Amino acid sequence: MIKICKTIDEVRAEVKQYKKDGLSVGLVPTMGYLHEGHKSLIDKAVTENDRVIVSDFVNPTQFGPSEDLEDYPRDLDKDAMLCDDAKADIMFNPEPEEMYAAGSCTFVTVSGLTSELCGKSRPIHFRGVATVVSKLFNIVDPDRAYFGEKDAQQLAVIKRMVKDLNFDIEIVGCPIVREEDGLAKSSRNKYLNKEERMAAPVLRRALELGKEAVAKGEIDADKIKVLIVDTINSEKLSNIDYVEIVDAETIKPVSKIRGPILCALAVSFGTTRLIDNFSYGSREK
Ligand code: PAF
């Protein structure tokens, strides 16, 4: 049965024993409300490590004041069952006061990579992510940590942070898991009403068209973006935040596609903001 730890001391005591026994540790950081996408990360972690810890923590510091922190979906019992089925060993589910002691005022900022894409409309988001992920790395001291490629900018930020702060941890990116109609799995899909849910797969169709055009040799980033934007706008319920083509490593916009790129978008349906992307070049998927 999955062990649920609520305190940092409990997790540390378990990890200390693992390390004493010479066991490797994989960490899967999540904000809970687990779905097949998270399960694919846990499955990979279970195959690559002796012990797996899944953190389940809705991190307040990565939500802006007008974002959905209070409403973010939560279902701890279901999460525990999924972790158990996937054969994870520990679910770490601290209260906010446990993760952020009173007076907490230290943050991790990854500059540059965080100024584009989601960083533009969510200015404090990546500071919160980098801070909580650093804390989790310090608490769990994993050998490997697993992140989904749906949050491609987050993955790039974490890789940069690990390099810059010399964390001795392998960061493993895992492919996007999709619904049958192509919509990327996300805890926020639950917010979509019936009409919005029917409209949302346009994101995948638009990205596929863009990717095909790149594969056929189109290197003009603006032309690809127009193709994607026009396709998305054909769905009346969509409201584009951004469609952008950036260098896969620096996350800076490119005008010509000459190396590995990330084509990423954020689009709202009603009040639900969804993200999706494709990579092309060495990180192609
Ligand atoms: O991707 C997420 O669910 C979160 O941003 C993460 C990495 C667990 C940090 O809170």
Side-chain angles (χ1 to χ4, degrees), residues 29-31 59 62 129 132-133 147 151 154:
T30 82
M31 295 209 300
N59 173 37
Q62 69 189 73
V129 170
V132 81
V133 171
F147 296 87
D151 295 290
Q154 169 172 283

Side-chain angles (χ1 to χ4, degrees), residues 11-25:
V11 180
R12 284 202 163 134
E14 295 288 337
V15 172
K16 198 171 172 188
Q17 189 58 48
Y18 294 160
K19 303 253 158 162
K20 207 170 156 196
D21 296 342
L23 302 174
S24 62
V25 177

